[in-house]
PDB file of all heavy atoms in Angstrom:
ATOM      1  N   GLY G  51      -0.589   1.114  14.733  1.00  0.00           N
ATOM      2  CA  GLY G  51      -0.448  -0.199  14.165  1.00  0.00           C
ATOM      3  C   GLY G  51      -0.827  -0.294  12.774  1.00  0.00           C
ATOM      4  O   GLY G  51      -0.081  -0.794  11.829  1.00  0.00           O
ATOM      5  N   VAL G  52      -2.040   0.239  12.307  1.00  0.00           N
ATOM      6  CA  VAL G  52      -2.499   0.251  10.937  1.00  0.00           C
ATOM      7  C   VAL G  52      -1.667   1.138  10.009  1.00  0.00           C
ATOM      8  O   VAL G  52      -1.279   0.642   8.896  1.00  0.00           O
ATOM      9  CB  VAL G  52      -3.989   0.649  10.905  1.00  0.00           C
ATOM     10  CG1 VAL G  52      -4.470   0.815   9.393  1.00  0.00           C
ATOM     11  CG2 VAL G  52      -4.840  -0.316  11.684  1.00  0.00           C
ATOM     12  N   THR G  53      -1.131   2.213  10.512  1.00  0.00           N
ATOM     13  CA  THR G  53      -0.303   2.952   9.787  1.00  0.00           C
ATOM     14  C   THR G  53       1.015   2.286   9.523  1.00  0.00           C
ATOM     15  O   THR G  53       1.668   2.319   8.433  1.00  0.00           O
ATOM     16  CB  THR G  53       0.043   4.400  10.500  1.00  0.00           C
ATOM     17  OG1 THR G  53      -1.186   5.022  10.758  1.00  0.00           O
ATOM     18  CG2 THR G  53       0.932   5.185   9.698  1.00  0.00           C
ATOM     19  N   THR G  54       1.612   1.578  10.490  1.00  0.00           N
ATOM     20  CA  THR G  54       2.719   0.757  10.334  1.00  0.00           C
ATOM     21  C   THR G  54       2.528  -0.365   9.299  1.00  0.00           C
ATOM     22  O   THR G  54       3.397  -0.648   8.438  1.00  0.00           O
ATOM     23  CB  THR G  54       3.087   0.115  11.676  1.00  0.00           C
ATOM     24  OG1 THR G  54       3.369   1.175  12.658  1.00  0.00           O
ATOM     25  CG2 THR G  54       4.491  -0.633  11.589  1.00  0.00           C
ATOM     26  N   ILE G  55       1.365  -1.085   9.315  1.00  0.00           N
ATOM     27  CA  ILE G  55       1.046  -2.014   8.358  1.00  0.00           C
ATOM     28  C   ILE G  55       1.056  -1.517   7.000  1.00  0.00           C
ATOM     29  O   ILE G  55       1.542  -2.167   6.048  1.00  0.00           O
ATOM     30  CB  ILE G  55      -0.197  -2.669   8.675  1.00  0.00           C
ATOM     31  CG1 ILE G  55      -0.127  -3.536  10.017  1.00  0.00           C
ATOM     32  CG2 ILE G  55      -0.684  -3.486   7.485  1.00  0.00           C
ATOM     33  CD1 ILE G  55      -1.385  -4.043  10.531  1.00  0.00           C
ATOM     34  N   TYR G  56       0.411  -0.346   6.668  1.00  0.00           N
ATOM     35  CA  TYR G  56       0.389   0.293   5.392  1.00  0.00           C
ATOM     36  C   TYR G  56       1.866   0.706   4.947  1.00  0.00           C
ATOM     37  O   TYR G  56       2.169   0.538   3.775  1.00  0.00           O
ATOM     38  CB  TYR G  56      -0.509   1.483   5.493  1.00  0.00           C
ATOM     39  CG  TYR G  56      -1.918   1.265   5.282  1.00  0.00           C
ATOM     40  CD1 TYR G  56      -2.849   1.981   6.023  1.00  0.00           C
ATOM     41  CD2 TYR G  56      -2.415   0.362   4.475  1.00  0.00           C
ATOM     42  CE1 TYR G  56      -4.225   1.704   5.997  1.00  0.00           C
ATOM     43  CE2 TYR G  56      -3.735  -0.081   4.347  1.00  0.00           C
ATOM     44  CZ  TYR G  56      -4.556   0.595   5.086  1.00  0.00           C
ATOM     45  OH  TYR G  56      -5.956   0.392   5.016  1.00  0.00           O
ATOM     46  N   ALA G  57       2.721   1.107   5.948  1.00  0.00           N
ATOM     47  CA  ALA G  57       4.103   1.444   5.644  1.00  0.00           C
ATOM     48  C   ALA G  57       4.873   0.304   5.212  1.00  0.00           C
ATOM     49  O   ALA G  57       5.685   0.168   4.186  1.00  0.00           O
ATOM     50  CB  ALA G  57       4.784   2.072   6.808  1.00  0.00           C
ATOM     51  N   TYR G  58       4.685  -0.826   5.881  1.00  0.00           N
ATOM     52  CA  TYR G  58       5.286  -2.286   5.568  1.00  0.00           C
ATOM     53  C   TYR G  58       4.872  -2.563   4.061  1.00  0.00           C
ATOM     54  O   TYR G  58       5.584  -3.036   3.295  1.00  0.00           O
ATOM     55  CB  TYR G  58       5.077  -3.297   6.588  1.00  0.00           C
ATOM     56  CG  TYR G  58       5.785  -3.156   7.824  1.00  0.00           C
ATOM     57  CD1 TYR G  58       5.374  -3.540   9.091  1.00  0.00           C
ATOM     58  CD2 TYR G  58       7.149  -2.561   7.868  1.00  0.00           C
ATOM     59  CE1 TYR G  58       5.936  -3.530  10.241  1.00  0.00           C
ATOM     60  CE2 TYR G  58       7.754  -2.476   8.985  1.00  0.00           C
ATOM     61  CZ  TYR G  58       7.315  -2.995  10.203  1.00  0.00           C
ATOM     62  OH  TYR G  58       8.036  -2.784  11.285  1.00  0.00           O
ATOM     63  N   LEU G  59       3.519  -2.492   3.837  1.00  0.00           N
ATOM     64  CA  LEU G  59       2.933  -2.774   2.474  1.00  0.00           C
ATOM     65  C   LEU G  59       3.632  -2.012   1.375  1.00  0.00           C
ATOM     66  O   LEU G  59       3.977  -2.491   0.333  1.00  0.00           O
ATOM     67  CB  LEU G  59       1.438  -2.637   2.492  1.00  0.00           C
ATOM     68  CG  LEU G  59       0.643  -3.800   3.278  1.00  0.00           C
ATOM     69  CD1 LEU G  59      -0.782  -3.413   3.351  1.00  0.00           C
ATOM     70  CD2 LEU G  59       0.887  -5.160   2.613  1.00  0.00           C
ATOM     71  N   LEU G  60       3.824  -0.736   1.649  1.00  0.00           N
ATOM     72  CA  LEU G  60       4.394   0.210   0.651  1.00  0.00           C
ATOM     73  C   LEU G  60       5.817  -0.273   0.447  1.00  0.00           C
ATOM     74  O   LEU G  60       6.386  -0.344  -0.640  1.00  0.00           O
ATOM     75  CB  LEU G  60       4.380   1.598   1.106  1.00  0.00           C
ATOM     76  CG  LEU G  60       5.096   2.545   0.327  1.00  0.00           C
ATOM     77  CD1 LEU G  60       4.443   2.630  -1.093  1.00  0.00           C
ATOM     78  CD2 LEU G  60       5.083   4.021   0.920  1.00  0.00           C
ATOM     79  N   THR G  61       6.567  -0.557   1.572  1.00  0.00           N
ATOM     80  CA  THR G  61       8.018  -0.918   1.520  1.00  0.00           C
ATOM     81  C   THR G  61       8.177  -2.266   0.779  1.00  0.00           C
ATOM     82  O   THR G  61       8.982  -2.433  -0.181  1.00  0.00           O
ATOM     83  CB  THR G  61       8.580  -0.990   2.830  1.00  0.00           C
ATOM     84  OG1 THR G  61       8.502   0.217   3.612  1.00  0.00           O
ATOM     85  CG2 THR G  61      10.003  -1.326   2.851  1.00  0.00           C
ATOM     86  N   ALA G  62       7.336  -3.126   1.089  1.00  0.00           N
ATOM     87  CA  ALA G  62       7.329  -4.613   0.430  1.00  0.00           C
ATOM     88  C   ALA G  62       7.143  -4.312  -1.189  1.00  0.00           C
ATOM     89  O   ALA G  62       7.728  -5.036  -1.920  1.00  0.00           O
ATOM     90  CB  ALA G  62       6.344  -5.550   1.012  1.00  0.00           C
ATOM     91  N   THR G  63       6.163  -3.469  -1.493  1.00  0.00           N
ATOM     92  CA  THR G  63       5.734  -3.328  -2.843  1.00  0.00           C
ATOM     93  C   THR G  63       6.943  -2.707  -3.570  1.00  0.00           C
ATOM     94  O   THR G  63       7.190  -3.107  -4.613  1.00  0.00           O
ATOM     95  CB  THR G  63       4.473  -2.376  -2.921  1.00  0.00           C
ATOM     96  OG1 THR G  63       3.316  -3.004  -2.226  1.00  0.00           O
ATOM     97  CG2 THR G  63       4.003  -2.183  -4.406  1.00  0.00           C
ATOM     98  N   ILE G  64       7.590  -1.759  -3.055  1.00  0.00           N
ATOM     99  CA  ILE G  64       8.696  -1.010  -3.678  1.00  0.00           C
ATOM    100  C   ILE G  64       9.904  -2.064  -3.813  1.00  0.00           C
ATOM    101  O   ILE G  64      10.461  -2.034  -4.875  1.00  0.00           O
ATOM    102  CB  ILE G  64       9.070   0.245  -2.899  1.00  0.00           C
ATOM    103  CG1 ILE G  64       7.943   1.212  -3.143  1.00  0.00           C
ATOM    104  CG2 ILE G  64      10.404   0.729  -3.534  1.00  0.00           C
ATOM    105  CD1 ILE G  64       8.224   2.545  -2.369  1.00  0.00           C
ATOM    106  N   LEU G  65      10.082  -2.896  -2.811  1.00  0.00           N
ATOM    107  CA  LEU G  65      11.022  -3.957  -2.949  1.00  0.00           C
ATOM    108  C   LEU G  65      10.861  -4.856  -4.127  1.00  0.00           C
ATOM    109  O   LEU G  65      11.669  -5.136  -4.852  1.00  0.00           O
ATOM    110  CB  LEU G  65      11.280  -4.683  -1.531  1.00  0.00           C
ATOM    111  CG  LEU G  65      12.260  -5.859  -1.743  1.00  0.00           C
ATOM    112  CD1 LEU G  65      13.699  -5.324  -1.820  1.00  0.00           C
ATOM    113  CD2 LEU G  65      12.136  -6.747  -0.458  1.00  0.00           C
ATOM    114  N   ILE G  66       9.537  -5.319  -4.167  1.00  0.00           N
ATOM    115  CA  ILE G  66       9.350  -6.290  -5.207  1.00  0.00           C
ATOM    116  C   ILE G  66       9.325  -5.454  -6.636  1.00  0.00           C
ATOM    117  O   ILE G  66       9.761  -6.173  -7.600  1.00  0.00           O
ATOM    118  CB  ILE G  66       7.874  -6.845  -4.958  1.00  0.00           C
ATOM    119  CG1 ILE G  66       7.832  -7.784  -3.747  1.00  0.00           C
ATOM    120  CG2 ILE G  66       7.281  -7.587  -6.145  1.00  0.00           C
ATOM    121  CD1 ILE G  66       6.454  -8.078  -3.245  1.00  0.00           C
ATOM    122  N   LEU G  67       9.026  -4.401  -6.589  1.00  0.00           N
ATOM    123  CA  LEU G  67       9.059  -3.465  -7.790  1.00  0.00           C
ATOM    124  C   LEU G  67      10.590  -3.293  -8.337  1.00  0.00           C
ATOM    125  O   LEU G  67      10.726  -3.389  -9.515  1.00  0.00           O
ATOM    126  CB  LEU G  67       8.393  -2.028  -7.641  1.00  0.00           C
ATOM    127  CG  LEU G  67       8.325  -1.167  -8.701  1.00  0.00           C
ATOM    128  CD1 LEU G  67       7.420  -1.817  -9.769  1.00  0.00           C
ATOM    129  CD2 LEU G  67       7.741   0.238  -8.251  1.00  0.00           C
ATOM    130  N   ASP G  68      11.418  -3.076  -7.463  1.00  0.00           N
ATOM    131  CA  ASP G  68      12.853  -3.071  -7.726  1.00  0.00           C
ATOM    132  C   ASP G  68      13.360  -4.480  -8.292  1.00  0.00           C
ATOM    133  O   ASP G  68      14.042  -4.513  -9.290  1.00  0.00           O
ATOM    134  CB  ASP G  68      13.741  -2.567  -6.676  1.00  0.00           C
ATOM    135  CG  ASP G  68      13.600  -1.213  -6.178  1.00  0.00           C
ATOM    136  OD1 ASP G  68      13.019  -0.461  -7.132  1.00  0.00           O
ATOM    137  OD2 ASP G  68      13.928  -0.679  -5.065  1.00  0.00           O
ATOM    138  N   LEU G  69      12.906  -5.417  -7.744  1.00  0.00           N
ATOM    139  CA  LEU G  69      13.275  -6.889  -8.224  1.00  0.00           C
ATOM    140  C   LEU G  69      12.662  -6.974  -9.588  1.00  0.00           C
ATOM    141  O   LEU G  69      13.411  -7.673 -10.506  1.00  0.00           O
ATOM    142  CB  LEU G  69      12.844  -7.861  -7.330  1.00  0.00           C
ATOM    143  CG  LEU G  69      13.360  -7.875  -5.874  1.00  0.00           C
ATOM    144  CD1 LEU G  69      12.925  -8.862  -4.950  1.00  0.00           C
ATOM    145  CD2 LEU G  69      14.998  -8.048  -5.961  1.00  0.00           C
ATOM    146  N   ILE G  70      11.457  -6.628  -9.911  1.00  0.00           N
ATOM    147  CA  ILE G  70      10.894  -6.717 -11.168  1.00  0.00           C
ATOM    148  C   ILE G  70      11.594  -5.905 -12.305  1.00  0.00           C
ATOM    149  O   ILE G  70      11.752  -6.337 -13.321  1.00  0.00           O
ATOM    150  CB  ILE G  70       9.326  -6.435 -11.129  1.00  0.00           C
ATOM    151  CG1 ILE G  70       8.644  -7.463 -10.287  1.00  0.00           C
ATOM    152  CG2 ILE G  70       8.748  -6.318 -12.547  1.00  0.00           C
ATOM    153  CD1 ILE G  70       7.201  -7.151 -10.096  1.00  0.00           C
ATOM    154  N   TYR G  71      12.178  -4.753 -11.838  1.00  0.00           N
ATOM    155  CA  TYR G  71      12.865  -3.925 -12.781  1.00  0.00           C
ATOM    156  C   TYR G  71      14.139  -4.674 -13.307  1.00  0.00           C
ATOM    157  O   TYR G  71      14.446  -4.677 -14.521  1.00  0.00           O
ATOM    158  CB  TYR G  71      13.483  -2.687 -12.098  1.00  0.00           C
ATOM    159  CG  TYR G  71      12.389  -1.631 -11.851  1.00  0.00           C
ATOM    160  CD1 TYR G  71      12.682  -0.545 -10.952  1.00  0.00           C
ATOM    161  CD2 TYR G  71      11.239  -1.497 -12.553  1.00  0.00           C
ATOM    162  CE1 TYR G  71      11.678   0.531 -10.701  1.00  0.00           C
ATOM    163  CE2 TYR G  71      10.275  -0.509 -12.363  1.00  0.00           C
ATOM    164  CZ  TYR G  71      10.637   0.525 -11.535  1.00  0.00           C
ATOM    165  OH  TYR G  71       9.702   1.489 -11.173  1.00  0.00           O
ATOM    166  N   GLY G  72      14.777  -5.471 -12.422  1.00  0.00           N
ATOM    167  CA  GLY G  72      15.838  -6.197 -12.919  1.00  0.00           C
ATOM    168  C   GLY G  72      15.549  -7.295 -13.891  1.00  0.00           C
ATOM    169  O   GLY G  72      16.378  -7.698 -14.719  1.00  0.00           O
ATOM    170  N   VAL G  73      14.436  -7.863 -13.839  1.00  0.00           N
ATOM    171  CA  VAL G  73      13.950  -8.832 -14.767  1.00  0.00           C
ATOM    172  C   VAL G  73      13.435  -8.259 -16.033  1.00  0.00           C
ATOM    173  O   VAL G  73      13.780  -8.711 -17.219  1.00  0.00           O
ATOM    174  CB  VAL G  73      12.681  -9.744 -14.062  1.00  0.00           C
ATOM    175  CG1 VAL G  73      12.064 -10.659 -15.122  1.00  0.00           C
ATOM    176  CG2 VAL G  73      13.181 -10.424 -12.891  1.00  0.00           C
ATOM    177  N   LEU G  74      12.773  -7.179 -16.005  1.00  0.00           N
ATOM    178  CA  LEU G  74      12.385  -6.507 -17.250  1.00  0.00           C
ATOM    179  C   LEU G  74      13.330  -5.778 -18.043  1.00  0.00           C
ATOM    180  O   LEU G  74      13.285  -5.876 -19.224  1.00  0.00           O
ATOM    181  CB  LEU G  74      11.206  -5.383 -16.832  1.00  0.00           C
ATOM    182  CG  LEU G  74       9.873  -6.011 -16.168  1.00  0.00           C
ATOM    183  CD1 LEU G  74       8.930  -4.771 -15.870  1.00  0.00           C
ATOM    184  CD2 LEU G  74       9.252  -6.982 -17.240  1.00  0.00           C
ATOM    185  N   ASP G  75      14.255  -4.985 -17.347  1.00  0.00           N
ATOM    186  CA  ASP G  75      15.223  -4.362 -18.139  1.00  0.00           C
ATOM    187  C   ASP G  75      16.668  -4.905 -17.792  1.00  0.00           C
ATOM    188  O   ASP G  75      17.192  -4.710 -16.654  1.00  0.00           O
ATOM    189  CB  ASP G  75      15.143  -2.877 -17.718  1.00  0.00           C
ATOM    190  CG  ASP G  75      15.986  -2.057 -18.529  1.00  0.00           C
ATOM    191  OD1 ASP G  75      16.623  -2.532 -19.531  1.00  0.00           O
ATOM    192  OD2 ASP G  75      15.723  -0.773 -18.501  1.00  0.00           O
ATOM    193  N   PRO G  76      17.250  -5.514 -18.847  1.00  0.00           N
ATOM    194  CA  PRO G  76      18.661  -6.099 -18.444  1.00  0.00           C
ATOM    195  C   PRO G  76      19.779  -5.034 -18.096  1.00  0.00           C
ATOM    196  O   PRO G  76      20.707  -5.443 -17.673  1.00  0.00           O
ATOM    197  CB  PRO G  76      18.858  -6.902 -19.729  1.00  0.00           C
ATOM    198  CG  PRO G  76      18.071  -6.400 -20.846  1.00  0.00           C
ATOM    199  CD  PRO G  76      16.917  -5.800 -20.207  1.00  0.00           C
ATOM    200  N   ARG G  77      19.438  -3.881 -18.475  1.00  0.00           N
ATOM    201  CA  ARG G  77      20.432  -2.788 -18.209  1.00  0.00           C
ATOM    202  C   ARG G  77      20.458  -2.451 -16.634  1.00  0.00           C
ATOM    203  O   ARG G  77      21.449  -1.967 -16.372  1.00  0.00           O
ATOM    204  CB  ARG G  77      20.130  -1.476 -18.976  1.00  0.00           C
ATOM    205  CG  ARG G  77      20.246  -1.728 -20.481  1.00  0.00           C
ATOM    206  CD  ARG G  77      19.726  -0.461 -21.200  1.00  0.00           C
ATOM    207  NE  ARG G  77      18.390  -0.243 -20.851  1.00  0.00           N
ATOM    208  CZ  ARG G  77      17.592   0.677 -21.317  1.00  0.00           C
ATOM    209  NH1 ARG G  77      18.131   1.742 -21.897  1.00  0.00           N
ATOM    210  NH2 ARG G  77      16.370   0.807 -20.964  1.00  0.00           N
ATOM    211  N   ILE G  78      19.341  -2.785 -16.074  1.00  0.00           N
ATOM    212  CA  ILE G  78      19.406  -2.557 -14.557  1.00  0.00           C
ATOM    213  C   ILE G  78      19.921  -3.661 -13.789  1.00  0.00           C
ATOM    214  O   ILE G  78      19.287  -4.745 -13.648  1.00  0.00           O
ATOM    215  CB  ILE G  78      17.866  -2.068 -14.104  1.00  0.00           C
ATOM    216  CG1 ILE G  78      17.436  -0.990 -14.839  1.00  0.00           C
ATOM    217  CG2 ILE G  78      17.879  -1.917 -12.597  1.00  0.00           C
ATOM    218  CD1 ILE G  78      15.952  -0.709 -14.615  1.00  0.00           C
ATOM    219  N   ARG G  79      21.055  -3.527 -13.283  1.00  0.00           N
ATOM    220  CA  ARG G  79      21.650  -4.677 -12.534  1.00  0.00           C
ATOM    221  C   ARG G  79      22.330  -4.017 -11.247  1.00  0.00           C
ATOM    222  O   ARG G  79      22.727  -2.838 -11.247  1.00  0.00           O
ATOM    223  CB  ARG G  79      22.729  -5.379 -13.170  1.00  0.00           C
ATOM    224  CG  ARG G  79      22.096  -6.187 -14.593  1.00  0.00           C
ATOM    225  CD  ARG G  79      21.377  -7.426 -14.044  1.00  0.00           C
ATOM    226  NE  ARG G  79      20.786  -8.047 -15.137  1.00  0.00           N
ATOM    227  CZ  ARG G  79      19.596  -8.538 -15.164  1.00  0.00           C
ATOM    228  NH1 ARG G  79      18.919  -8.512 -14.032  1.00  0.00           N
ATOM    229  NH2 ARG G  79      19.120  -9.175 -16.220  1.00  0.00           N
ATOM    230  N   ALA G  80      22.621  -4.887 -10.278  1.00  0.00           N
ATOM    231  CA  ALA G  80      23.315  -4.383  -9.070  1.00  0.00           C
ATOM    232  C   ALA G  80      24.911  -4.354  -9.401  1.00  0.00           C
ATOM    233  O   ALA G  80      25.518  -5.270 -10.076  1.00  0.00           O
ATOM    234  CB  ALA G  80      23.083  -5.467  -7.959  1.00  0.00           C
ATOM    235  N   GLY G  81      25.380  -3.159  -8.957  1.00  0.00           N
ATOM    236  CA  GLY G  81      26.774  -2.870  -9.268  1.00  0.00           C
ATOM    237  C   GLY G  81      27.758  -3.838  -8.334  1.00  0.00           C
ATOM    238  O   GLY G  81      27.311  -4.289  -7.200  1.00  0.00           O
TER     239      GLY G  81
END
Side-chain angles (χ1 to χ4, degrees):
V52 174
T53 303
T54 303
I55 289 171
Y56 282 139
Y58 284 149
L59 286 172
L60 175 65
T61 304
T63 302
I64 292 174
L65 174 66
I66 293 168
L67 187 60
D68 286 341
L69 296 174
I70 290 173
Y71 283 162
V73 173
L74 292 178
D75 193 356
R77 297 174 295 174
I78 302 173
R79 294 286 176 222

